[in-house]
Amino acid sequence: VNPCHLAMIRIWNYNKSRIHSFRGIKDVEILLNGKLIFRGEIAKASGTLHGALEQFGDTILFTTDDEILDAMSQYDETFTANIDYTQPFTFEEELNRPSTADGEGVERPYTQACFRTEDEQEQEQASFLLGGAASQMRGEYTGMCVQLNFAVTWGDSHYLGLTGLEVVGKAGQALPITMENIEASPRDLNELPEYNDDSRTLDKLIDGINVTSEDEHMWLIPFTYGDDHIVAINFNKQQTIIGLRFWNYNKSPEDTYRGA
């Protein structure tokens, strides 16, 4: 067997979706005939089909010789797939709801990245513009009930969550909210038959612990695309509201796709 000269190694990291790209390799050691020739970190893929070569992994060069690099470029078949980026992304095939929302234990949950089509994005933008007409006058609203309907997650097909929520009053302060004031439908994961004592309940949404990655301070509910996911806050008297503050679901990089 004739020995060959190694000038470059190119690695395309795991790229099934933005969620699944976190399964890609990070640290790697490469040995040639038992001798270490590389130890380092490989870039995470973007999880999409957009961008230059570096969006999909790393190129490891073992030479800076111009003649060798020129020769390599003649045979360098880099990312040349014929993809029409003008077409909107569509929802991937739905999976059955996983039996766990923790990503822990023997069975690993299924996760899935979902993308909005251009028509859906235009409808959402139109709804925002129509709803914002009154706010251009003073930026204030007065009422007793604030209702939020969460329509889409950042990618998870089965669960939706938040870490914290505040309603901001006229003076810029967070209006006091107790469990007597707030309701949700679905209320929490304990509405599912396989759950009976999950800690990610509605009270965690207003416990004031918002900058955290500990899910015992987060609210999580079952999510079904196309259904209503309501949080209603009923104050005991008329309140002037100038804004809302959200802390999205933040358990881990993968689980952030459960955020609203």
Side-chain angles (χ1 to χ4, degrees):
V1 178
N2 294 324
C4 61
H5 297 279
L6 182 65
M8 180 184 75
I9 295 177
R10 179 167 287 138
I11 298 175
W12 286 264
N13 226 330
Y14 198 77
N15 194 51
K16 179 179 179 182
S17 69
R18 288 182 294 176
I19 294 174
H20 291 95
S21 65
F22 286 94
R23 294 176 176 173
I25 63 170
K26 182 181 179 183
D27 296 320
V28 63
E29 292 183 353
I30 301 175
L31 288 80
L32 181 64
N33 292 341
K35 180 181 179 181
L36 183 68
I37 60 172
F38 176 83
R39 178 189 288 125
E41 181 176 300
I42 304 302
K44 184 178 74 67
S46 65
T48 69
L49 299 179
H50 296 270
L53 181 65
E54 60 268 19
Q55 297 296 315
F56 302 94
D58 257 324
T59 299
I60 304 168
L61 285 172
F62 298 100
T63 181
T64 57
D65 186 285
D66 289 337
E67 291 186 2
I68 297 176
L69 295 176
D70 289 340
M72 289 166 50
S73 66
Q74 298 178 25
Y75 302 96
D76 189 7
E77 298 179 359
T78 55
F79 188 73
T80 56
N82 185 18
I83 300 171
D84 186 358
Y85 295 119
T86 64
Q87 296 301 314
F89 286 106
T90 57
F91 287 95
E92 297 181 15
E93 181 180 359
E94 284 295 318
L95 301 174
N96 292 327
R97 185 183 300 280
S99 59
T100 173
D102 295 318
E104 301 166 353
V106 176
E107 181 180 355
R108 185 174 181 88
Y110 298 105
T111 50
Q112 175 185 4
C114 296
F115 302 93
R116 288 167 287 180
T117 64
E118 290 179 353
D119 289 342
E120 289 171 330
Q121 291 174 349
E122 290 174 358
Q123 290 173 3
E124 290 174 5
Q125 292 169 358
S127 299
F128 175 80
L129 292 173
L130 291 172
S135 65
Q136 295 178 0
M137 300 176 187
R138 290 179 55 85
E140 300 176 359
Y141 293 90
T142 301
M144 294 181 62
C145 178
V146 177
Q147 179 173 298
L148 302 95
N149 188 3
F150 299 102
V152 180
T153 69
W154 276 99
D156 197 291
S157 298
H158 304 295
Y159 300 99
L160 180 146
L162 288 174
T163 301
L165 171 65
E166 288 181 353
V167 181
V168 182
K170 187 174 182 179
Q173 81 285 13
L175 298 176
I177 303 173
T178 67
M179 289 305 297
E180 296 179 354
N181 305 121
I182 189 169
E183 292 290 340
S185 178
R187 188 176 179 86
D188 52 50
L189 289 182
N190 295 309
E191 293 190 0
L192 297 175
E194 61 264 35
Y195 290 90
N196 53 32
D197 193 26
D198 191 90
S199 64
R200 291 162 292 190
T201 48
L202 184 60
D203 58 298
K204 307 310 187 327
L205 197 57
I206 55 173
D207 69 357
I209 302 175
N210 300 322
V211 182
T212 180
S213 59
E214 298 178 0
D215 63 347
E216 57 263 34
H217 295 292
M218 301 178 193
W219 172 66
L220 192 68
I221 61 172
F223 171 77
T224 302
Y225 180 75
D227 287 358
D228 292 330
H229 308 83
I230 303 293
V231 170
I233 303 169
N234 292 282
F235 295 103
N236 297 324
K237 61 181 181 179
Q238 294 278 347
Q239 298 281 2
T240 300
I241 297 169
I242 64 169
L244 294 97
R245 298 190 186 103
F246 296 90
W247 287 264
N248 226 334
Y249 200 75
N250 193 48
K251 179 181 177 182
S252 69
E254 183 178 43
D255 289 318
T256 58
Y257 288 93
R258 293 175 175 172

